[in-house]
Amino acid sequence: MVAVGWLSKNVAVIAVPIVTILFGILIGWLAQRSAFCSIGGFRDYFMWKQTRLLYGYLALIVGAFIGYLVFWLITPQAFEHFFWLLTSGLTPVPGAPVGLTVVGYIILAIIGGIGVGLIGVILGGCPLRQVVMTSEGNVKALLFVVGMCVGAVVYTAWISGWVVSLMKGLGIA
Amino acid sequence: MDEIKESAEDTASSLDTYARNPLVLGLLVGVFAAALQGLLISAGGPEAYGFCVACHTRDVVNDAVNSIAGTKLAIAAISQNAILPVLTVIGVLIGAFISAKFYQEFKTKTGSGVSYLWYLLGGLFFMAFALFMGGCPYRIALRVGYGDVVAFIGLLAIIAGVLVGIKIATAIAEREG
């Protein structure tokens, strides 16, 4: 079944870039003002018991849950698999490399999560913060964003396939 | 006339008080990301894809490389089907730039050549790690809100990574005195 949203497919395919760029501008403005940072939230809490940014990140999870719940009640066909655990069990929402077992996805989530947390703390910010600092004139953050762009191509073209074959070869996927 | 000007300034500064509160961004972006799925899901999946710095950057970059070099690098269905991919991260760059200029917080900050190399490599590996778990910390938050247990495990792993990172950063700082 193809999910049906509030806009018809013909309109939605045109609306995608317009709606997402406007949404991005809103996020950029708010993130610049609040210095919002997900990884910074955890860092500030563990190092100094400061909860300002941490509560912001937790509010994102709560806001998303409330939003999904309310809109799912109104138009369930646009939120086909909400609440994911109840409709699809322990499988992940698509996005990671395809074709692995649940155990494989959990291993990748653990490796990926640790890497993301580690790099984020050492280089002083999650990707959103790096993008915002780029717009504030920080050349180091700009290099981080350029690295992400190169990483996207390298990952898609090679790493993703290698990881899947490695995990299948090891018999854990 | 002065009164009008003053009240306009009051409105602007109270709006800024809200904007400076991370709770506002968190709640607003969470709800809007859910609304975005309702609005645009007919164009294609995946679900819980309203905001992701890693995946949305990947979509824009890979789509551009595909157009220029004729490659077939994978991007999300929604970006594949739409006339242009999801431009959220471009929006963030624009929004933050306007805001930084408006509040006179734009300031060019440079670093050493070695630090540039570290940030470049950091960004590259960050992207790979984020795509391993199918999203940056923001999409992970959306997926947790959507009920995805694997994303929740990823979130716990991020916290573990932060704790290890704090240990390393503290050790480096102590060694450098």
Side-chain angles (χ1 to χ4, degrees):
Chain A
M1 191 183 110
V2 177
V4 184
W6 306 338
L7 298 176
S8 71
K9 187 172 180 185
N10 296 341
V11 182
V13 292
I14 299 165
V16 164
I18 303 162
V19 173
T20 52
I21 203 165
L22 291 175
F23 186 38
I25 290 172
L26 173 76
I27 297 171
W29 166 54
L30 291 175
Q32 199 275 328
R33 297 317 295 148
S34 61
F36 198 94
C37 183
S38 55
I39 289 166
F42 293 117
R43 178 202 58 202
D44 290 356
Y45 177 73
F46 290 124
M47 287 188 81
W48 301 295
K49 297 288 168 230
Q50 280 181 11
T51 53
R52 196 184 88 96
L53 290 175
L54 180 67
Y55 286 171
Y57 185 69
L58 297 179
L60 176 64
I61 298 177
V62 174
F65 173 73
I66 295 170
Y68 286 129
L69 178 67
V70 170
F71 298 133
W72 168 74
L73 287 170
I74 302 167
T75 52
Q77 69 277 13
F79 299 86
E80 257 188 293
H81 299 98
F82 185 82
F83 189 73
W84 193 271
L85 175 65
L86 304 179
T87 61
S88 316
L90 296 176
T91 61
V93 175
V98 287
L100 299 176
T101 61
V102 170
V103 177
Y105 282 120
I106 290 175
I107 292 171
L108 273 193
I110 293 172
I111 296 172
I114 291 175
V116 162
L118 192 66
I119 297 175
V121 166
I122 291 176
L123 297 185
C126 70
L128 176 64
R129 185 76 194 123
Q130 301 285 357
V131 173
V132 170
M133 288 195 294
T134 301
S135 285
E136 290 175 339
N138 187 320
V139 184
K140 287 193 282 190
L142 170 67
L143 265 292
F144 187 93
V145 175
V146 172
M148 289 212 317
C149 296
V150 178
V153 176
V154 173
Y155 172 87
T156 317
W158 296 289
I159 300 175
S160 174
W162 291 343
V163 167
V164 173
S165 15
L166 178 69
M167 293 183 81
K168 289 201 164 151
L170 292 172
I172 46 175
Chain B
M1 188 65 198
D2 278 351
E3 258 173 40
I4 295 170
K5 199 175 160 224
E6 258 173 36
S7 75
E9 272 172 9
D10 280 353
T11 318
S13 73
S14 73
L15 185 67
D16 194 44
T17 311
Y18 288 116
R20 282 167 165 278
N21 188 343
L23 286 174
V24 173
L25 187 155
L27 285 173
L28 217 59
V29 170
V31 173
F32 277 29
L36 205 82
Q37 176 171 332
L39 207 57
L40 302 176
I41 193 74
S42 307
E47 290 166 71
Y49 200 64
F51 178 46
C52 178
V53 182
C55 333
H56 289 195
T57 303
R58 186 243 357 241
D59 283 1
V60 172
V61 171
N62 284 2
D63 187 66
V65 171
N66 287 347
S67 311
I68 297 165
T71 48
K72 287 198 166 59
L73 299 172
I75 58 175
I78 184 169
S79 294
Q80 189 75 62
N81 298 339
I83 51 165
L84 281 172
V86 283
L87 299 179
T88 333
V89 181
I90 310 283
V92 172
L93 278 170
I94 298 170
F97 179 73
I98 295 171
S99 176
K101 277 283 181 195
F102 183 80
Y103 291 99
Q104 297 176 340
E105 288 176 4
F106 183 90
K107 194 163 169 276
T108 309
K109 275 191 207 152
T110 55
S112 64
V114 180
S115 74
Y116 290 157
L117 187 66
W118 278 113
Y119 274 82
L120 188 71
L121 285 174
L124 200 156
F125 280 101
F126 188 99
M127 185 58 125
F129 282 124
L131 293 176
F132 277 170
M133 61 173 176
C136 71
Y138 295 93
R139 182 161 187 242
I140 291 295
L142 300 183
R143 282 169 54 187
V144 170
Y146 208 65
D148 180 343
V149 177
V150 177
F152 186 70
I153 295 171
L155 180 59
L156 296 180
I158 294 175
I159 296 172
V162 168
L163 289 171
V164 177
I166 289 174
K167 288 247 183 252
I168 296 174
T170 316
I172 293 173
E174 275 170 5
R175 205 180 55 188
E176 286 175 356

